[in-house]
Amino acid sequence: MKKYHKIIFNCMAVIITLLLTATTVLAADKEYKLKDIDLTVTAPDDLIVFTRETTASNPNYDYIDKEALELTADMEQKNMYLYAIDKDSTYDITIIATRAPSSLEYYNNCTDEEIDTIMATNRRDLEAIPNLTVNSIDVYEQSDTKMIRYDVVNASESDGLNKVYIIEYDTVFQDFEYTIKLQSYGKEISDDTLRMFDDMVKNMSFSELSGSSVRTRIVNEALELFIGAAMFIAFLGIILFILNMSKKNKKKHVL
């Protein structure tokens, strides 16, 4: 019997190891490769992050009122490649990208005078929007590309909220127009949240990535199904093995 106990123990150890390994991988996944727009983003653990590669079984869906297919369709419609919220849903972070028209210059190729003109034009357009306050518009030198940083407050009644505090970084680079936006609902952005967001932007890497989000999501979902099926089969095998051994032991003790 000791021999069988050892076999059972080893099988259970394998299953537990698989579970712990999968959990550890998920917990350590701070880097998000947005392959369709050649952008890599690093986010802190406590953010609830969704990308177009997030599978339907991801526990982050427990924090929102949308299912995987609905959120993915919404992200595609809005040209969104990353959506993140804090656990209290007081703010969100979005990354939006669209193909840049050929007439647009990369910000890296623009002179200071051209960037100043862009900022002046955008300030004029923003200040013409009712209930919108422009606190500042500045140039930000990210390691890969020049950006324009906007600090605005939207007090529009149509938002259904008192105020929305917005920090936004925009750039034109490698054939895309990028918008990285932080929105805090009903209260000013805390210093800690602001530092976290600015660090996210600072550490972004704009570099060519292989593959696509659709293909990666399909592969990840297939892998999750395979692991789940393998664990179920292993667990079922252990139960059948225990039952079989129990029957054999009963036969040995029959007089």
Side-chain angles (χ1 to χ4, degrees), residues 27 92 146 168 191 200 212 222 237:
D92 61 40
K146 286 181 183 178
E168 177 176 318
D191 291 340
M200 280 183 64
S212 69

Side-chain angles (χ1 to χ4, degrees), residues 24-44:
T24 301
V25 169
L26 289 173
D29 189 12
K30 299 179 182 180
E31 188 174 78
Y32 302 89
K33 294 183 181 295
L34 310 181
K35 298 179 179 180
D36 300 320
I37 58 173
D38 292 332
L39 179 61
T40 301
V41 181
T42 301

Side-chain angles (χ1 to χ4, degrees), residues 42 194-204:
T42 301
L194 190 57
R195 277 193 294 269
M196 176 274 297
F197 180 61
D198 288 343
D199 284 344
M200 280 183 64
V201 175
K202 176 183 176 182
N203 295 318
M204 286 178 178

Side-chain angles (χ1 to χ4, degrees), residues 52 85 142 197 213 229 241:
R52 295 189 183 188
I85 59 173
Q142 205 264 355
F197 180 61
S213 60
F241 178 80

Side-chain angles (χ1 to χ4, degrees), residues 94-110:
T94 56
I95 295 179
I96 295 170
T98 57
R99 284 285 176 184
S102 57
S103 57
L104 284 182
E105 285 282 351
Y106 291 179
Y107 281 4
N108 279 358
N109 297 336
C110 292

Side-chain angles (χ1 to χ4, degrees), residues 114-166:
E114 288 170 330
I115 292 290
D116 287 342
T117 300
I118 293 171
M119 290 194 297
T121 301
N122 291 346
R123 176 183 284 274
R124 184 175 63 249
D125 293 342
L126 289 171
E127 289 178 342
I129 300 174
N131 303 312
L132 192 73
T133 302
V134 180
N135 292 327
S136 64
I137 301 178
D138 307 292
V139 176
Y140 176 70
E141 295 282 353
Q142 205 264 355
S143 57
D144 290 325
T145 177
K146 286 181 183 178
M147 292 181 166
I148 298 178
R149 184 182 188 275
Y150 301 86
D151 180 346
V152 301
V153 179
N154 186 354
S156 173
E157 293 180 1
S158 62
D159 291 329
L161 298 159
N162 292 328
K163 287 184 180 180
V164 182
Y165 298 86
I166 303 168

Side-chain angles (χ1 to χ4, degrees), residues 44-63:
D45 277 338
D46 56 354
L47 272 185
I48 310 302
V49 179
F50 301 90
T51 71
R52 295 189 183 188
E53 295 180 4
T54 303
T55 58
S57 61
N58 194 297
N60 282 354
Y61 283 102
D62 294 338
Y63 289 91

